[in-house]
Amino acid sequence: MAYQMQRSHQFLSRFFLIAAALALTACESVQTTQGGAVGITRQQSMMLSAQEVDASAVKEYAQVLDEQKKKGALNQNAAQVRRVRAIADRLIPQTAAFRPDAVKWKWEVNIITSPEANAWCMPGGKIAVYTGLIEKLKITDDELAAVMGHEIAHALREHARERASEQAVTGSLISIGSSILGVGELGKQGAQYAYMGLVGLPNSRTHETEADRIGVELAARAGYDPRAAISLWQKMAQIGGSEPMKFMSTHPSREDRISDLTVYSQRVMPLYEQSKKTR
């Protein structure tokens, strides 16, 4: 039985790798951003167009804002709104270092009243910051710039489009391949788990690392201390619970993240020092 299970796992791994290789041939290879001082040069495979992803984001963002407005949870604290938008106004022009077209996106920045310590940026520059992030962490402007820079970086790199493209192509191939090879629902489910373990989760961790690195550069160029990203994650560790095992997490471990941010915040310190001189 153990031998059969091992052979099954080997088959599923081989099947997934073949499917993944076929999926890559169906996608367009693109470089969404310039490398910047942090040197992001990874090519990305895209199946979906930027236009359709951006259009979906516009609709979803409008729906989120409408729901929050009905609950009385949208932009309730004027001082917080001014503060967050002022930081965004300094960060957004710096996106030109990675992709000049982003400066002309239809950016929106809104505050959602929620105890959750969270923020996000949808494709095309649709940003939301939760009051829990500001209040629970007693967040400084430098730390808030680190968070917002990180989320903006996801949009610049079009990580949502990349994940959606990957899932669309690989999901179709797994379904077709499972039927052709007769592995049934159990085999199909195993292939999906293999996909998540071998590519899905590691790619998501790659996205997080890229966003961390671009985020500190955006903050530094905007005149915010990039080292604040380190204190930010130290605060997050204090309010957060236990972490999942590293190999099963969509995010890098806190230790790995802080270590990487320490290196890359130092790399962009000259940009920060230069920005301070011109302000």
Side-chain angles (χ1 to χ4, degrees):
M1 179 65 71
Y3 173 74
Q4 290 178 337
M5 289 180 65
Q6 182 180 9
R7 288 295 299 274
S8 176
H9 290 161
Q10 291 173 346
F11 165 76
L12 290 173
S13 296
R14 287 197 300 270
F15 169 74
F16 169 73
L17 291 173
I18 292 170
L22 290 172
L24 290 176
T25 64
C27 293
E28 175 190 9
S29 182
V30 299
Q31 177 70 18
T32 54
T33 60
Q34 299 168 5
V38 293
I40 303 298
T41 59
R42 182 179 65 90
Q43 290 284 315
Q44 297 162 276
S45 296
M46 303 294 194
M47 181 69 173
L48 305 178
S49 72
Q51 290 76 15
E52 59 186 319
V53 173
D54 288 353
S56 296
V58 168
K59 292 179 181 178
E60 185 174 349
Y61 190 69
Q63 182 178 341
V64 169
L65 295 188
D66 184 59
E67 291 173 353
Q68 296 303 320
K69 187 175 182 179
K70 289 177 180 177
K71 294 194 301 184
L74 182 66
N75 297 330
Q76 290 300 294
N77 186 315
Q80 288 180 344
V81 173
R82 286 194 299 271
R83 180 187 179 196
V84 170
R85 288 180 176 173
I87 293 171
D89 286 345
R90 285 171 57 175
L91 289 170
I92 290 168
Q94 310 312 319
T95 61
F98 292 95
R99 51 184 302 170
D101 66 306
V103 178
K104 298 180 181 179
W105 286 356
K106 295 181 180 179
W107 294 88
E108 294 185 56
V109 183
N110 291 281
I111 306 291
I112 293 174
T113 300
S114 167
E116 188 177 352
N118 194 19
W120 41 262
C121 181
M122 286 184 180
K126 309 301 183 184
I127 299 172
V129 175
Y130 291 31
T131 56
L133 179 73
I134 298 170
E135 296 164 0
K136 285 186 177 180
L137 271 63
K138 295 181 174 56
I139 203 165
T140 67
D141 283 1
D142 290 324
E143 290 166 345
L144 192 49
V147 175
M148 295 174 66
H150 172 97
E151 299 304 329
I152 288 170
H154 280 307
L156 296 178
R157 287 291 288 166
E158 299 186 48
H159 286 151
R161 177 185 168 206
E162 185 178 11
R163 286 195 302 270
S165 296
E166 182 182 273
Q167 290 166 2
V169 175
T170 308
S172 297
L173 286 170
I174 287 174
S175 295
I176 294 169
S178 297
S179 299
I180 292 173
L181 297 175
V183 297
E185 281 300 314
L186 184 61
K188 178 180 175 181
Q189 185 179 52
Q192 290 170 338
Y193 288 152
Y195 162 71
M196 286 301 296
L198 296 174
V199 170
L201 293 177
N203 274 359
S204 188
R205 291 195 289 270
T206 297
H207 292 173
E208 289 300 309
T209 299
E210 287 180 346
D212 278 348
R213 294 175 183 179
I214 291 175
V216 294
E217 180 166 342
L218 290 174
R221 288 181 179 275
Y224 294 103
D225 191 336
R227 295 168 294 189
I230 301 167
S231 61
L232 167 73
W233 281 104
Q234 290 169 338
K235 287 182 178 181
M236 290 292 285
Q238 292 172 0
I239 68 168
S242 59
E243 291 186 296
M245 295 179 68
K246 179 179 175 180
F247 74 92
M248 285 299 292
S249 174
T250 59
H251 289 59
S253 71
R254 291 183 187 126
E255 292 77 10
D256 286 352
R257 187 166 223 159
I258 289 173
S259 176
D260 192 74
L261 284 168
T262 300
V263 171
Y264 280 86
S265 63
Q266 286 300 319
R267 182 176 294 188
V268 299
M269 279 300 290
L271 296 174
Y272 171 55
E273 297 296 340
Q274 181 61 36
S275 179
K276 286 198 302 181
K277 292 177 182 178
T278 59
R279 290 189 178 276

